[in-house]
Amino acid sequence: MIVSAAAAAASDDRPAGRSARPVVSCRGVAKLFSNGTLALQNVDLDIGRHQFLSLLGPSGCGKSTLLRLIAGLGEPSAGLIDWPADREGADHALSFVFQEPTLMPWATAIKNVLLPLKIAGVGGDEARARAADALRLVGLSAFENAYPRELSGGMKMRVSIARALVTKPQVLLMDEPFAALDEITRFKLNNDLLRLWEDSNFTVVFVTHSVFESVFLSERIVVMAARPGRIIEDIDVAAPYPRRDEYRTSPLYNEHCRRASAALERAMAHHAHHG
């Protein structure tokens, strides 16, 4: 997909996430589970409009818990998750992409993508056109009528992303969506996800434990440590978009990977110290 001139212009003057008014704000967020696990403590985080932000950290540091709280799939035990735009009467539309594609096995690709529109009460030709367009965006136009069992792991995840995009979300939350895929498929999906984001106006919050993936995709990497889950570092990835395969072999990429790796090592050391 070639990014349109309009989208390129829009990305050039995209506000920096932390200086612009955030699309979502976490203030003093904590989550204590009933088994006594303090999954999150005192999380303060502003997420900017059209920002690509990764939550990076070791297993058990609360990345997925924070994502689920932002999604409204649970309540914080303390603190506040605020959507400033809502005060102007705009509803915060968000979509969630899980680790597994979570497709209905008895339904074709297009029927899986149609599901959120059906739930939202959008039907008929408009719904069909939007679902077909979402599959086109993820490169699956030829597979509208294929069933999940006929699709590879990467293709199933594309259907899942199309289903998330069909409602035109303001915020796309992604919980390690490519972790189970082989490296070549993962690289390709990283490239395609960035193209979709560059050509759009949605915000992405992306959970990963891969330094390489976070540095390739993100404008900003928020590094978390466990026990309790908390933010220990906030890294700006000052590399221009569009980012393509050549970025992966550039000195700039290597430098950002070194910084993120060092932060992740500090997170692991925190974990060992508090574990």
Side-chain angles (χ1 to χ4, degrees), residues 60-75:
C61 71
K63 306 182 297 292
S64 296
T65 301
L66 181 57
L67 202 70
R68 293 177 77 88
L69 293 180
I70 292 170
L73 299 173
E75 292 289 320

Side-chain angles (χ1 to χ4, degrees), residues 9 21 36 61 65 76 83 87 101 108 111 120 150 169 197 211-212 214 227 236 247 256:
R21 197 186 54 176
C61 71
T65 301
W83 297 79
R87 289 198 282 275
T108 59
K111 286 196 172 149
E150 300 168 322
W197 171 76
V211 164
F212 305 109
S214 67
R227 307 228 179 123
D236 278 308
Y247 171 54
H256 284 304

Side-chain angles (χ1 to χ4, degrees), residues 72-94:
L73 299 173
E75 292 289 320
S77 307
L80 179 70
I81 294 175
D82 185 33
W83 297 79
D86 286 5
R87 289 198 282 275
E88 296 168 11
D91 189 24
H92 61 263
L94 56 86

